[in-house]
Amino acid sequence: KGDMIIVNSKVVHKIFSDSQVDYRCLIVDNSFIDQNSIDPSAYYFCEKICDYETGLLMEKITSAYENQQIEFSHLEIRKCVSEFLLHLYKHYSKPQSSVSDLHDQSNRKIRKALDYINLHFCEKISLDDIAVFSGFSKYYFTRIFRQMIGCTVFEHINMLRCKKAKTMLLSTNLPLSKICYDCGFESPSYFAKTFKTYIGVLPSKLRQEK
């Protein structure tokens, strides 16, 4: 609670939580920044921010947005967003450098890894397989994957397996054991435990509610 995540342009990302989360999302179009004579591609923002002043500025934007019936509300919103951006640029931005080239390269490799995982997550899949396919060393891959995607490789794989299992539970009458193995789980007990973690109910309970 209270954390702010900045998603830089063209960065692979996703939001995942094992509990109910409410969040506010502000998407600033590059043209808005261009109007203030700033080249958005020339700067890179720190990804995680948690400070009192930034939170207050975000609250001001929310308040202005929720009171659009007030006269000149659109000007008020633009003013609040401008103040917010000024604060971010002054305190949390870095000039783009050769680091950005490395970042773009890592993004391409992570996308390649995600494509591979999407094709093979129901199979027995290893970190070595994914790392080799995407062109990373295994240890660097696990670190950069968590940094960019927000979870470990196997948390991501388990989430995909559970989503597929949920679809099969609701759309077929296949036995739980077959769904378990077809989705890549090694045992029914691990399947049940993992499914409960990611979906919130046991597979058998979901099947009963079908």
Side-chain angles (χ1 to χ4, degrees):
K1 183 176 180 179
D3 287 351
M4 187 173 299
I5 305 299
I6 308 297
V7 180
N8 287 280
S9 181
K10 300 179 182 177
V11 172
V12 179
H13 63 282
K14 74 169 185 176
I15 295 173
F16 172 77
S17 175
D18 56 4
S19 60
Q20 183 67 38
V21 173
D22 293 324
Y23 66 93
R24 297 169 186 161
C25 182
L26 172 66
I27 303 174
V28 182
D29 191 85
N30 283 344
S31 62
F32 182 87
I33 303 173
D34 286 335
Q35 292 168 11
N36 294 287
S37 302
I38 297 174
D39 178 4
S41 65
Y43 296 90
Y44 185 84
F45 292 101
C46 300
E47 293 177 341
K48 185 175 179 180
I49 298 170
C50 187
D51 75 55
Y52 183 70
E53 186 175 354
T54 308
L56 283 180
L57 290 168
M58 190 67 184
E59 290 291 341
K60 285 179 66 176
I61 295 172
T62 302
S63 178
Y65 184 79
E66 291 175 348
N67 291 284
Q68 293 190 54
Q69 297 83 5
I70 297 175
E71 192 174 12
F72 308 123
S73 59
H74 291 295
L75 283 175
E76 180 69 20
I77 292 171
R78 294 180 70 86
K79 185 196 80 168
C80 292
V81 172
S82 295
E83 289 177 351
F84 180 73
L85 289 174
L86 176 61
H87 179 75
L88 291 183
Y89 273 108
K90 287 178 69 175
H91 300 287
Y92 295 104
S93 72
K94 302 174 184 177
Q96 285 282 23
S97 63
S98 58
V99 174
S100 69
D101 295 332
L102 181 61
H103 196 84
D104 288 343
Q105 184 180 17
S106 294
N107 265 287
R108 287 193 295 272
K109 288 184 177 181
I110 288 295
R111 289 191 187 99
K112 191 174 181 182
L114 289 171
D115 289 341
Y116 182 86
I117 291 170
N118 285 336
L119 286 173
H120 300 283
F121 69 86
C122 288
E123 305 167 15
K124 190 173 182 179
I125 189 171
S126 72
L127 279 176
D128 289 315
D129 294 334
I130 306 168
V132 168
F133 181 82
S134 57
F136 285 109
S137 71
K138 180 170 71 172
Y139 299 104
Y140 180 72
F141 170 66
T142 56
R143 183 170 65 84
I144 203 72
F145 188 95
R146 187 182 184 97
Q147 178 184 325
M148 290 188 172
I149 305 303
C151 62
T152 68
V153 178
F154 285 106
E155 284 172 345
H156 180 69
I157 290 172
N158 279 336
M159 182 182 66
L160 293 175
R161 287 172 173 171
C162 287
K163 284 184 175 180
K164 182 176 176 63
K166 180 180 178 180
T167 299
M168 293 178 71
L169 285 164
L170 295 175
S171 62
T172 75
N173 292 314
L174 292 171
L176 296 184
S177 58
K178 179 164 177 55
I179 293 175
C180 161
Y181 295 118
D182 283 354
C183 291
F185 292 101
E186 295 183 356
S187 71
S189 60
Y190 182 67
F191 168 47
K193 178 182 176 181
T194 306
F195 193 88
K196 175 75 183 303
T197 298
Y198 287 89
I199 306 300
V201 295
L202 290 169
S204 56
K205 180 71 172 176
L206 185 70
R207 171 60 64 79
Q208 290 172 7
E209 295 173 353
K210 176 182 172 183

